[in-house]
Amino acid sequence: MLAKIAFGTRLSIIQQSLAAVFNNLSLNHEDKVEISKSIAARALNELCDGDFHTAHQAAGAIANLLEDIDTHDDMVRAGTASTLLKLLGYGSVQIAREATRGLANLLTRLESHNLILRGSGEHVGSVIRLARSEDNEQRYYAGLLLRKLSPNFSSHENIINNGGLKSLAFLAGDRDAKVRQQAAMALRDICANPRFKTKCAKEGIIETTKKLLRSDDEVEQTLALAIARHLSIDNDLKR
């Protein structure tokens, strides 16, 4: 019933209330799969075209539903991935943050990586730009998304060509340890790629690694050593 109302109204006050209800319902883990299999998933796409308050709540609901991997197939078929990719360019940090969070959840599965890697790389480029946000949560979710992509070696060229190494180095120096660790994990994976070891060194990742090694955090030290180990395999970088 709620989804049918969403398809049939353009009144902002009704759309805002519907999006808020869906957002609340999507928080219940037991209901996520059921919602994703209903027309509510497509209704959320419609609501994301509403005003700021409606889009914010609807994007949050999509991100919440995607926390459960069992919703992914149905959500992708409903077109929510395309909706989130579009919202990356929304002129609001709150909405772009929810879109980044949802996409990061979706990228838990390798099969979903092509959804963001396809095309000329503009989607990855959008995330990399958002990694420089003044908003701490936005930086965290951007780092998380890049960390979800980084085990996939086919993503590395896309990340690097869009300035991802400099943004990851920036995140590795963040004041928030959770952000630093997401960036360090992504750098560890990229530095494991034989194609890009020299590029990583030229982009300043060795200096980034040194800074991480000075950390009092054992997780960051461990990640820094993994980066150093990967780079040290390259004979040219040993000198």
Side-chain angles (χ1 to χ4, degrees):
M1 180 185 295
L2 293 174
K4 290 180 179 179
I5 296 173
F7 284 118
T9 184
R10 288 295 171 188
L11 291 176
S12 294
I13 187 66
I14 294 178
Q15 289 183 330
Q16 290 172 15
S17 297
L18 283 169
V21 170
F22 280 129
N23 198 354
N24 291 335
L25 292 173
S26 69
L27 293 171
N28 188 359
H29 183 75
E30 288 74 20
D31 294 331
K32 292 181 191 291
V33 172
E34 183 179 351
I35 294 171
S36 71
K37 291 182 179 299
S38 72
I39 63 169
R42 289 191 293 113
L44 287 169
N45 294 329
E46 292 286 318
L47 292 170
C48 281
D49 284 332
D51 64 17
F52 165 78
H53 298 288
T54 303
H56 184 209
Q57 293 280 358
I62 292 173
N64 292 340
L65 293 172
L66 289 171
E67 289 173 355
D68 188 334
I69 197 169
D70 291 332
T71 69
H72 289 192
D73 286 336
D74 291 308
M75 294 294 283
V76 170
R77 277 193 290 269
T80 53
S82 297
T83 296
L84 293 177
L85 289 169
K86 181 174 68 174
L87 291 178
L88 287 176
Y90 201 97
S92 158
V93 67
Q94 293 96 326
I95 293 175
R97 182 174 63 213
E98 294 299 334
T100 309
R101 179 168 71 93
L103 288 167
N105 290 336
L106 187 61
L107 294 180
T108 299
R109 297 195 317 172
L110 181 63
E111 306 93 281
S112 299
H113 285 199
N114 282 338
L115 294 170
I116 192 169
L117 293 175
R118 66 192 177 193
S120 59
E122 66 272 16
H123 301 315
V124 172
S126 295
V127 174
I128 288 169
R129 286 190 292 275
L130 290 169
R132 299 277 189 154
S133 171
E134 294 182 2
D135 182 82
N136 182 67
E137 287 186 76
Q138 176 62 80
R139 294 194 305 276
Y140 171 76
Y141 288 123
L144 176 64
L145 190 154
L146 293 171
R147 194 267 293 170
K148 293 281 187 77
L149 278 179
S150 64
N152 181 354
F153 273 30
S154 66
S155 74
H156 292 177
E157 185 171 10
N158 201 327
I159 293 171
I160 289 170
N161 288 345
N162 281 282
L165 289 176
K166 289 191 180 299
S167 285
L168 286 169
F170 172 79
L171 292 178
D174 198 89
R175 62 180 179 272
D176 188 328
K178 293 187 297 182
V179 176
R180 293 196 302 271
Q181 289 171 14
Q182 295 299 326
M185 283 187 276
L187 288 171
R188 173 199 60 194
D189 293 337
I190 295 172
C191 289
N193 191 330
R195 291 181 57 201
F196 299 115
K197 293 182 189 295
T198 301
K199 178 69 172 177
C200 288
K202 288 181 178 179
E203 292 281 340
I205 302 307
I206 292 176
E207 289 304 313
T208 299
T209 305
K210 291 178 181 178
K211 292 177 183 177
L212 289 168
L213 281 170
R214 297 189 195 105
S215 171
D216 294 330
D217 188 297
E218 291 183 353
V219 173
E220 292 175 31
Q221 291 176 345
T222 300
L223 290 168
L225 287 169
I227 295 170
R229 176 169 57 85
H230 289 316
L231 292 179
S232 67
I233 294 172
D234 190 298
N235 287 328
D236 290 336
L237 298 180
K238 292 178 182 179
R239 300 191 182 98

